[in-house]
Amino acid sequence: MAEAFNTVPEDLEKELSQLIMSGEIQARIDSHNKILYASHTDLRSVTFENSLKIGETYQRDTKAFILRCSLLQNYFVVGANDKSNKNNNDNNNDNGNNNNGNNNMISD
């Protein structure tokens, strides 16, 4: 193999070991016999793992969407605790814009 790459076997072994350690290639080196064993990934298991990740992401996003819809349906507002937001709420209450407690405000 070293002849094919026009290099010395020791240099080729060092370069291959660096590629293996960095994860660029999936293989093992038999240093005694000077043989490179390439490992093949099981596409079926990789596909299964990817589908599980996609399913978990979909489930998490769906739960978050249902929670947001429930909060909006019950007029539950989550906002930042800043003075401009507080002043706007005070002005609304002073102008007679009382919503009978339907606008709950939680500060972070």
Side-chain angles (χ1 to χ4, degrees):
M1 187 170 165
E3 291 176 11
F5 288 105
N6 201 18
T7 185
V8 203
E10 291 80 22
D11 292 341
L12 182 62
E13 188 176 349
K14 286 179 186 178
E15 189 173 342
L16 285 172
S17 64
Q18 289 174 352
L19 290 171
I20 292 170
M21 286 189 287
S22 68
E24 292 183 43
I25 60 172
Q26 299 291 323
R28 304 183 288 132
I29 299 175
D30 182 359
S31 297
H32 181 67
N33 296 324
K34 303 294 183 195
I35 297 175
L36 177 69
Y37 294 103
S39 60
H40 301 283
T41 57
D42 183 15
L43 293 179
R44 183 174 181 252
S45 64
V46 170
T47 304
F48 186 71
E49 289 175 12
N50 286 341
S51 64
L52 281 177
K53 287 179 186 177
I54 291 170
E56 290 170 355
T57 302
Y58 175 76
Q59 187 177 17
R60 184 188 68 236
D61 292 346
T62 303
K63 284 182 181 180
F65 177 72
I66 291 171
L67 176 64
R68 284 191 301 272
C69 288
S70 178
L71 291 174
L72 288 172
Q73 186 178 19
N74 292 306
Y75 304 105
F76 199 80
V77 178
V78 179
N81 188 13
D82 64 14
K83 292 182 180 181
S84 63
N85 195 11
K86 183 179 178 189
N87 290 337
N88 289 338
N89 287 337
D90 290 342
N91 290 339
N92 287 342
N93 289 337
D94 291 341
N95 293 334
N97 292 337
N98 191 355
N99 55 7
N100 296 327
N102 287 334
N103 192 6
N104 299 323
M105 184 73 148
I106 293 182
S107 302
D108 293 329

